Amino acid sequence: MATRTEMVNRSLALAGLPPLVSDYSEDSPQANSSRAHWDSDLESLLVETIWNFAKVTDTFEVAAGETHPRYNAVYSINADCLAVWRVNGYENQVYAEGYPVVWEVEGEYLYTSYGECIAEYITRNVNPANFPPKFRDALEHLHAISIGRERGLDANALDSLERAYRLKMAKAKFSDSLEGSGRPIRSNYLAEARKGRVSLDRADTMRN
């Protein structure tokens, strides 16, 4: 278990910078650099795979007044949702009762022909105290890279951090990935789904 302040201090140490004086909310150059990158660094890791600690199952509500030419229903994606994983138990396009069951994410909406939408997704509302150790380690390295770039860390040091981060990220994925199976969903498709450019059912087809 670690606090955000403790994690930021480890990132600062990795980047060769002095620690925070009190906590991450203070007004100091290192705290300002951290706050500029923390949310984007965290979210970029959260959409790398289906982290057990960040999975949520919840109902999406019908988007009143919204329609789609190919789907019977339009649902509003919950505000805390970063990337949708499954809808009503389905990841990919499948056939049920003789008709195709599909869902698609575009921007703030999820389109489907289901009469209800029970979504499994990655939430942005995560508590640093619940981060698995390997995820935390990877995040600290990524955050160190972001801070280091802003603060002018030399190229060799950044390269070393980036190599260490890739190793940490690989270990983290296989320690807390999809149902403990070690099968990560490729991050570029998750990120595209998050941006509304491709649905995860298509993403899974694309990666195979």
Side-chain angles (χ1 to χ4, degrees), residues 18-81:
L20 301 170
V21 176
S22 55
D23 62 37
Y24 71 87
S25 63
E26 70 189 36
D27 183 14
S28 66
Q30 56 268 42
N32 293 338
S33 293
S34 173
R35 286 196 299 274
H37 300 286
W38 176 266
D39 287 343
S40 59
D41 288 343
L42 175 58
E43 291 187 4
S44 71
L45 256 66
L46 285 172
V47 299
E48 282 282 347
T49 190
I50 306 300
W51 305 103
N52 287 312
F53 76 92
K55 289 192 298 187
V56 168
T57 300
D58 200 0
T59 300
F60 288 173
E61 299 297 327
V62 172
E66 296 292 333
T67 61
H68 193 282
R70 291 187 291 111
Y71 297 100
N72 295 336
V74 181
Y75 296 91
S76 296
I77 294 175
N78 291 355
D80 69 308
C81 176

Side-chain angles (χ1 to χ4, degrees), residues 91-109:
E91 284 186 68
N92 305 5
Q93 178 172 329
V94 298
Y95 285 83
E97 299 179 3
Y99 63 91
V101 178
V102 297
W103 55 270
E104 187 172 346
V105 171
E106 292 181 7
E108 298 178 358
Y109 300 109

Side-chain angles (χ1 to χ4, degrees), residues 108-122:
E108 298 178 358
Y109 300 109
L110 186 145
Y111 304 104
T112 184
S113 293
Y114 287 121
E116 65 175 347
C117 182
I118 300 174
E120 297 171 66
Y121 62 88
I122 295 299

